[in-house]
Amino acid sequence: MIRYIIKKELKEIFRDGRFKISAAIVFLLALVAFFVTFKQYKNTAAQYNEAKVNERKVWESQGAKNPHSAAHYGNYVFKPKSPLSLIDQGVDKYTGVSVFLEAHNRNEAAFSDAADQTALSRFGALTPDFILLYIIPLIIILIGYNIFSKEVEGNTFFILKSQGVVGWKLFVGKWLAALIPTMVIATVLFAVAAIALTSLNDFGLFEWKEIFALYFVYLLYYLIFINVVLFISSKVKKSGIALVINLVFWVLACFVAPKVASNLADAKYPYPSHQEFNEQIANESKQGLDGHNPWNEESQKLRLQILKEYKVDSVHKLPFNFNAFLMQKGEEYQAQVYAKHYGLLKEKAKKQGGVYKSLSSISPFLPTRFLSMAIANTDYESHWAFTEAAEEYRVGVQRFLNGTTEKNAKYNERYVAPADTWSKLEEFSYESPTFTEVYKQNTGVFSVLVIWFVLTAALLFFTNKKY
Amino acid sequence: MFRYNFKYELKSLLRSRWLLLLSLLLLIVVLFAGYNGKEKVNERVKQLDKVVLEANTNDATMAKVLDSIEKGLQVSINPRRMPNAPMNVAYNYPRVAAIPAAPLTFISTGQSDLFTHFIKPSAYGDSFSLDYSELANPIQLLFGSFDLSFVIIYILPLIIIAFSYNILSEEKEYGSLKLLASQPISIYQWILQKTALRFFWLTLITMAVITITLLIFGYNFSANFLAFLQLVSLVCAYILFWFTIVLLVNLVINNSAKNAVSLLAIWVFVILIVPAVVGQLANSFYPIPSRTKMITEVRELKEELSSKQDKILDNFLRDHTEYASKDGNNNYSFWHKYIASQELVEEELKPLISSYEDQLTKQQDWVRLWQYSSPAILMQQSFNNLAHTSTSHYQSYRNQVFKFSKEWRNFFKPMLYGNKNFTTKDYKELPSFKYKAPKNNLVLFKVIVLLVFSVIFILIGRQVYINKIKKGTVIS
């Protein structure tokens, strides 16, 4: 029985010009989106590699120099692109790709793509995630909005009943009929992406389980949509109205909910402005140890303490360079201040994340969006992971440079390190969070998505008894 | 006939509670959007006020110290902040260069969430690489803000579609179209009037809602009436555009479910696909050169120049003989070298830096050209312009700040190289920054374009109707 229903529905769907046209448009758009994203990815990856090599060359060829001058000269680290950003670019457009690491300062990642583009890019770009998140649900609506209501409108419902159709079988048949074309479209798109990713070497390493997880998340998202669309179709007698209600749901879930969530999150836990944030840090830094100023109150305290510790009466007699030691202590203090304030900012980001997550219960779009970005390593968390790794490296660089002076020079002597010093500094390497870490971080969001599915399925199942 | 139509439409709208529901829905949504926008603007104004106040306090202290020094009194101040040395003032007492909020800023977030709205360019640092980015949660930037421009561009057309997708087809499906056709009236006239009336009511409600929102959020109508008129005429034209689309689809397709699907497809195409494609093409045709490459080039150049600072200063003084010391005193400080080499750095990097701005300008020109391909782009551009949050506003702001920071440095140059003190008189002549918004008075033209679109659709609709009459397929 179910087989016949599926067969009949599929025949109808595929016969329908609207489905054919829209499916063709989706594939065309997806093709363009993949192509464009792919080109961009290759470009960025090439730039990244070139910049990374150049940067290291510039750093190593500084020549003989005072290590603290080198610290001020600083170095740049660049954020690598994750392979799955080919499918979901996430917040990549809005976060910078390079961080300047220098003495005394922790800098933000600079140069986001969005700042270099026109306001039009805020409408959304033609990327695979746009198609997966917005357009395919629309196709589902197109397939399913009249799947029950057409039987009522065409009075074929009586005929169906007279054939002795069992309610749940009809329901399962229609549900599967809506699912199959969606599955086909999604599977083809993911297969193409997977082939593109495996066939190219410059895409870095990606794990199969990541792409499967992504595929699974999107399938859940589509299942939720199918449930909702079929529910509306079964409740509303007129196809036109069913379509309008479906559309309202789509707009609310995909457009309105994220925007409202972002406004609520910002209103509840506002970020400080750049200016304010920097000021707070500057004020707190002033109160502590200043590595450049030996007459600073904290520096004096440290000097006395060290003299006492080493049982000498002058810093000249210390077995190491006290200037560099002081500089390092100042650096450590400053790093602490930065860590504290960035910690507060991260706390705020987490709280905002909490608002988004709690609002995930009003729209299946939100948990899908977050999971998709998380798996693709293009979410805010992975950006944090990168900037934190950069900061850790910066602190390490300062320790290395101050340590070089500390070991090799006497107090109040201007030390010039030999030209080969710089290549001894370890290179920056960054590993994005692994799949297991991402999974652990996102179990909450994932369960929201599963609950969405279970609830909508239950709703659909229990309200369909009359068939 | 018009009178009957008017009465009937009003009655049926009131009876179905559509009008009431619609007004209420629109009011809530628009108020919420306005509130979001206003909150952001208030925060921006508050921050700017704070910064200006702080700068003014600093200035007042400086003026007082300066006065004391000139009177020969003893002052206790950190020597690095001593205001009689010109470069101390140039470095420690920068002006606030701000882009103030316009009266309509709250209607459209535009690019305002990406950039900071004030910056303090001092004599130190590269005026081309000032950091204009604002600290923001990127998720918020990704999702965007629920503002008035979103409601009007995205939601309003959907309301129109939901409201009137079956305006003609319903009559046909109920069989009442035959009844109508038997009356001595033209069906075309009738449907045209019906659409016009709905357009009239929706426009009236929207205008009322927008006016109420502007009133609540303290918009000064008398001072900014032109901007209000521009906003209102744009919204009217946009509503008209969508109503003519609805009319056309009703005439061409005339089946409720199919109407709804087609209208939805048009909505997706006009509002999602076309802007995304135009934007993507802008980025592909005029890509911004690699920023990472810029970083490397700037550093390489600076490193090269810093090793030759003494020579650069020599050359600089040879070119600017007016700055060379007359009494043979060659005791040049850090600032002497810095300013001279900075001039060279900016000169050398000018082509590189302007390549970024040029590409961005080209992208904007492209978007400006193709904005007519989708009313959504056209509306977004116009709203951002009215709100002073468009790309070109921020670009112009950056250029103005760049010029100003040069002016600021140049103001101190003669004092620095002439070994002159900074005085109260100089203080009064300090250059100050005033943002000038770029001109754009193309709103009328855009409204006309929208009207032309609408007229074309009406004419096409008419032709379709005439053809259907000839074939006899209007009612059946």
Side-chain angles (χ1 to χ4, degrees):
Chain A
M1 181 60 128
I2 293 177
R3 205 156 53 91
Y4 287 118
I5 296 169
I6 296 174
K7 220 169 144 187
K8 174 245 170 196
E9 288 295 336
L10 283 182
K11 216 176 227 174
E12 259 185 31
I13 291 169
F14 288 121
R15 203 183 275 161
D16 190 348
R18 281 169 292 174
F19 176 76
K20 272 190 240 164
I21 293 171
S22 45
I25 290 175
V26 165
F27 280 120
L28 186 75
L29 285 179
L31 207 69
V32 175
F34 267 127
F35 179 72
V36 172
T37 323
F38 181 68
K39 236 182 86 184
Q40 270 172 2
Y41 183 99
K42 274 185 96 171
N43 242 333
T44 324
Q47 283 173 10
Y48 165 77
N49 287 331
E50 195 191 326
K52 204 173 143 189
V53 173
N54 263 339
E55 176 57 32
R56 186 68 191 179
K57 223 166 66 194
V58 170
W59 170 259
E60 285 183 3
S61 56
Q62 289 183 91
K65 204 183 210 175
N66 172 271
H68 193 63
S69 300
H72 272 286
Y73 180 67
N75 38 19
Y76 278 90
V77 291
F78 301 96
K79 184 161 91 175
K81 232 168 151 47
S82 86
L84 284 184
S85 68
L86 182 73
I87 297 174
D88 190 345
Q89 306 229 18
V91 297
D92 269 6
K93 193 160 97 180
Y94 300 100
T95 55
V97 285
S98 62
V99 182
F100 179 50
L101 310 176
E102 57 175 339
H104 318 308
N105 285 318
R106 172 172 178 172
N107 295 307
E108 283 287 303
F111 302 121
S112 70
D113 282 349
D116 272 338
Q117 289 171 356
T118 65
L120 198 56
S121 70
R122 307 298 294 276
F123 259 108
L126 195 58
T127 50
D129 55 302
F130 168 76
I131 291 164
L132 291 171
L133 283 162
Y134 295 94
I135 304 296
I136 295 187
L138 205 57
I139 300 279
I140 295 176
I141 291 178
L142 209 60
I143 295 170
Y145 75 96
N146 63 353
I147 206 157
F148 283 109
S149 55
K150 71 181 169 193
E151 308 285 2
V152 179
E153 273 177 334
N155 289 329
T156 43
F157 201 64
F158 300 112
I159 302 174
L160 272 174
K161 266 189 175 168
S162 70
Q163 302 284 316
V165 75
V166 185
W168 71 268
K169 281 188 181 168
L170 178 69
F171 157 71
V172 171
K174 295 218 176 227
W175 190 81
L176 285 173
L179 179 64
I180 290 169
T182 319
M183 278 277 280
V184 171
I185 294 177
T187 312
V188 169
L189 291 184
F190 271 91
V192 170
I195 291 167
L197 280 167
T198 41
S199 62
L200 286 146
N201 326 336
D202 40 332
F203 263 95
L205 287 169
F206 84 98
E207 289 186 75
W208 276 99
K209 54 185 172 193
E210 284 175 2
I211 206 163
F212 275 119
L214 209 56
Y215 178 62
F216 184 64
V217 165
Y218 278 104
L219 274 191
L220 260 183
Y221 178 54
Y222 301 147
L223 285 173
I224 293 166
F225 255 93
I226 291 174
N227 289 346
V228 171
V229 170
L230 260 60
F231 172 72
I232 292 170
S233 177
S234 71
K235 288 287 136 199
V236 181
K237 300 264 167 352
K238 280 168 78 180
S239 297
I241 295 175
L243 181 62
V244 170
I245 295 175
N246 272 317
L247 280 186
V248 170
F249 174 73
W250 177 69
V251 169
L252 286 178
C254 299
F255 291 93
V256 177
K259 283 182 194 281
V260 170
S262 98
N263 279 107
L264 288 181
D266 188 47
K268 215 167 166 200
Y269 304 107
Y271 263 34
S273 73
H274 224 153
Q275 180 84 14
E276 250 178 301
F277 187 66
N278 290 342
E279 229 165 67
Q280 282 165 1
I281 291 169
N283 285 339
E284 206 166 320
S285 300
K286 258 188 231 158
Q287 288 161 15
L289 194 67
D290 180 354
H292 270 299
N293 182 4
W295 306 113
N296 167 283
E297 200 181 312
E298 292 295 318
S299 316
Q300 290 291 352
K301 260 193 221 163
L302 183 70
R303 191 176 67 103
L304 292 177
Q305 188 198 326
I306 290 294
L307 289 180
K308 213 167 150 192
E309 209 172 290
Y310 281 85
K311 294 188 180 113
V312 285
D313 53 2
S314 144
V315 284
H316 289 276
K317 293 178 185 162
L318 286 171
F320 51 85
N321 182 331
F322 184 70
N323 298 112
F325 177 77
L326 191 64
M327 192 64 86
Q328 177 56 23
K329 286 289 161 197
E331 204 60 67
E332 279 167 17
Y333 172 73
Q334 239 142 3
Q336 230 175 16
V337 173
Y338 274 110
K340 180 184 148 194
H341 285 274
Y342 273 91
L344 289 176
L345 191 69
K346 197 178 177 185
E347 201 52 45
K348 214 159 236 181
K350 268 202 180 134
K351 280 185 180 156
Q352 286 202 355
V355 174
Y356 287 116
K357 273 159 203 168
S358 59
L359 282 169
S360 291
S361 51
I362 62 163
S363 158
F365 174 88
L366 286 168
T368 314
R369 198 20 149 175
F370 284 111
L371 283 172
S372 168
M373 289 195 286
I375 296 168
N377 266 325
T378 52
D379 61 342
Y380 198 18
E381 269 79 27
S382 25
H383 185 66
W384 270 109
F386 169 71
T387 50
E388 276 166 359
E391 171 66 4
E392 198 182 309
Y393 180 69
R394 184 186 78 88
V395 172
V397 172
Q398 303 315 316
R399 202 182 304 124
F400 166 78
L401 293 172
N402 288 326
T404 311
T405 314
E406 210 177 298
K407 273 183 277 177
N408 298 314
K410 289 197 186 99
Y411 182 68
N412 266 356
E413 174 191 60
R414 187 171 167 80
Y415 170 63
V416 175
D420 66 341
T421 312
W422 322 119
S423 55
K424 286 178 195 152
L425 177 72
E426 211 180 304
E427 271 186 68
F428 174 71
S429 74
Y430 167 69
E431 294 283 330
S432 45
T434 61
F435 181 68
T436 330
E437 284 165 5
V438 169
Y439 177 77
K440 272 185 197 149
Q441 267 176 14
N442 289 284
T443 39
V445 190
F446 185 69
S447 45
V448 172
L449 197 66
V450 173
I451 290 171
W452 257 101
F453 171 69
V454 171
L455 284 185
T456 50
L459 186 72
L460 189 61
F461 190 75
F462 288 113
T463 56
N464 260 288
K465 273 183 187 158
K466 62 173 182 178
Y467 290 124
Chain B
M1 180 180 97
F2 183 74
R3 204 156 56 89
Y4 287 115
N5 242 338
F6 187 84
K7 258 179 151 172
Y8 171 77
E9 266 297 300
L10 185 62
K11 244 185 200 162
S12 63
L13 285 176
L14 284 177
R15 201 172 285 161
S16 69
R17 298 212 184 88
W18 247 115
L19 268 186
L20 191 71
L21 188 74
L22 194 71
S23 316
L24 216 66
L25 184 81
L26 255 180
L27 187 67
I28 293 169
V29 168
V30 169
L31 276 179
F32 178 61
Y35 171 77
N36 284 334
K38 198 67 196 176
E39 280 287 281
K40 287 214 157 86
V41 172
N42 285 345
E43 187 58 32
R44 174 173 160 184
V45 170
K46 208 173 87 193
Q47 271 169 16
L48 182 59
D49 285 349
K50 200 178 135 204
V51 172
V52 170
L53 184 74
E54 217 175 77
N56 288 345
T57 324
N58 278 346
D59 267 20
T61 327
M62 181 213 348
K64 233 161 108 187
V65 174
L66 213 52
D67 192 53
S68 305
I69 295 172
E70 280 165 18
K71 282 184 183 143
L73 299 171
Q74 271 288 328
V75 287
S76 67
I77 189 169
N78 182 341
R80 281 194 202 168
R81 290 181 71 90
M82 205 60 141
N84 59 349
M87 290 325 281
N88 282 352
V89 178
Y91 179 64
N92 290 314
Y93 299 93
R95 306 291 94 182
V96 178
I99 171 167
L104 278 179
T105 295
F106 76 103
I107 65 163
S108 181
T109 309
Q111 298 283 72
S112 68
D113 49 358
L114 284 176
F115 301 116
T116 178
H117 294 101
F118 56 85
I119 210 151
K120 297 193 273 186
S122 90
Y124 185 76
D126 309 325
S127 41
F128 54 81
S129 66
L130 289 170
D131 188 7
Y132 290 91
S133 62
E134 186 50 284
L135 202 62
N137 186 335
I139 294 170
Q140 193 171 352
L141 300 176
L142 176 73
F143 287 166
S145 188
F146 191 88
D147 55 7
L148 207 61
S149 87
F150 168 74
V151 172
I152 290 169
I153 297 174
Y154 284 73
I155 308 283
L156 207 54
L158 283 174
I159 290 178
I160 295 169
I161 292 173
F163 187 39
S164 303
Y165 72 96
N166 58 358
I167 195 164
L168 180 65
S169 55
E170 192 185 40
E171 304 284 347
K172 187 172 138 189
E173 278 146 28
Y174 280 137
S176 49
L177 192 64
K178 284 181 184 161
L179 218 64
L180 267 170
S182 69
Q183 303 286 321
I185 52 170
S186 148
I187 297 276
Y188 181 73
Q189 287 286 328
W190 171 81
I191 181 81
L192 201 63
Q193 281 183 15
K194 200 167 153 149
T195 317
L197 284 170
R198 289 191 173 204
F199 164 71
F200 170 74
W201 285 118
L202 189 73
T203 311
L204 200 70
I205 294 168
T206 313
M207 292 305 117
V209 165
I210 288 178
T211 313
I212 290 171
T213 310
L214 290 181
L215 270 175
I216 288 177
F217 296 115
Y219 184 74
N220 185 347
F221 284 90
S222 55
N224 311 298
F225 196 68
L226 183 68
F228 173 69
L229 267 188
Q230 288 177 326
L231 172 70
V232 161
S233 52
L234 273 167
V235 176
C236 282
Y238 191 59
I239 296 178
L240 181 66
F241 170 84
W242 281 102
F243 265 109
T244 54
I245 295 252
V246 169
L247 175 70
L248 183 63
V249 167
N250 262 291
L251 284 169
V252 174
I253 297 171
N254 210 7
N255 167 309
S256 293
K258 281 187 186 168
N259 280 1
V261 171
S262 318
L263 285 168
L264 166 70
I266 294 172
W267 184 88
V268 170
F269 195 70
V270 167
I271 289 174
L272 298 182
I273 310 276
V274 175
V277 171
V278 172
Q280 199 76 282
L281 287 177
N283 297 339
S284 309
F285 289 158
Y286 308 106
I288 298 286
S290 156
R291 284 285 188 185
T292 43
K293 212 169 160 185
M294 178 186 103
I295 291 170
T296 332
E297 278 181 43
V298 170
R299 271 157 73 80
E300 274 170 5
L301 181 76
K302 283 192 154 179
E303 180 70 355
E304 191 193 319
L305 293 184
S306 77
S307 57
K308 300 191 241 168
Q309 273 200 340
D310 289 325
K311 207 169 160 228
I312 291 166
L313 183 64
D314 278 351
N315 287 341
F316 175 79
L317 292 176
R318 204 170 301 136
D319 292 345
H320 302 267
T321 40
E322 71 276 17
Y323 291 151
S325 150
K326 307 277 184 300
D327 48 14
N329 174 11
N330 286 336
N331 191 11
Y332 291 120
S333 71
F334 160 80
W335 281 112
H336 290 93
K337 290 177 193 167
Y338 180 78
I339 295 288
S341 65
Q342 196 60 14
E343 194 135 294
L344 199 65
V345 167
E346 295 199 354
E347 200 54 45
E348 293 263 319
L349 288 175
K350 212 174 181 179
L352 181 69
I353 302 304
S354 58
S355 69
Y356 292 87
E357 293 294 328
D358 286 353
Q359 286 300 83
L360 190 60
T361 311
K362 277 183 193 155
Q363 283 191 6
Q364 284 178 79
D365 289 343
W366 166 266
V367 173
R368 210 167 285 141
L369 179 69
W370 284 93
Q371 63 178 321
Y372 303 107
S373 63
S374 155
I377 307 180
L378 196 139
M379 289 294 280
Q380 194 217 28
Q381 293 259 316
S382 316
F383 276 6
N384 287 351
N385 277 333
L386 283 175
H388 289 202
T389 54
S390 74
T391 315
S392 55
H393 279 85
Y394 285 98
Q395 197 181 16
S396 159
Y397 169 60
R398 284 197 296 272
N399 288 335
Q400 290 176 39
V401 173
F402 180 75
K403 272 196 197 123
F404 174 72
S405 70
K406 219 169 189 174
E407 190 189 339
W408 179 251
R409 210 181 309 142
N410 284 341
F411 180 79
F412 293 97
K413 235 195 263 170
M415 290 182 237
L416 171 70
Y417 290 101
N419 279 329
K420 281 189 197 127
N421 273 350
F422 185 78
T423 61
T424 311
K425 192 177 149 267
D426 297 319
Y427 169 68
K428 281 178 187 143
E429 281 166 10
L430 277 177
S432 67
F433 180 83
K434 182 129 181 63
Y435 169 73
K436 272 195 238 59
K439 267 209 162 56
N440 46 68
N441 35 18
L442 285 166
V443 169
L444 186 67
F445 181 68
K446 288 175 183 169
V447 171
I448 291 172
V449 169
L450 282 176
L451 291 181
V452 168
F453 268 125
S454 309
V455 170
I456 292 174
F457 290 141
I458 291 177
L459 289 177
I460 297 174
R462 200 182 137 76
Q463 200 51 48
V464 168
Y465 176 78
I466 291 170
N467 289 347
K468 279 196 170 180
I469 283 283
K470 273 184 196 154
K471 283 190 213 154
T473 51
V474 175
I475 1 182
S476 56

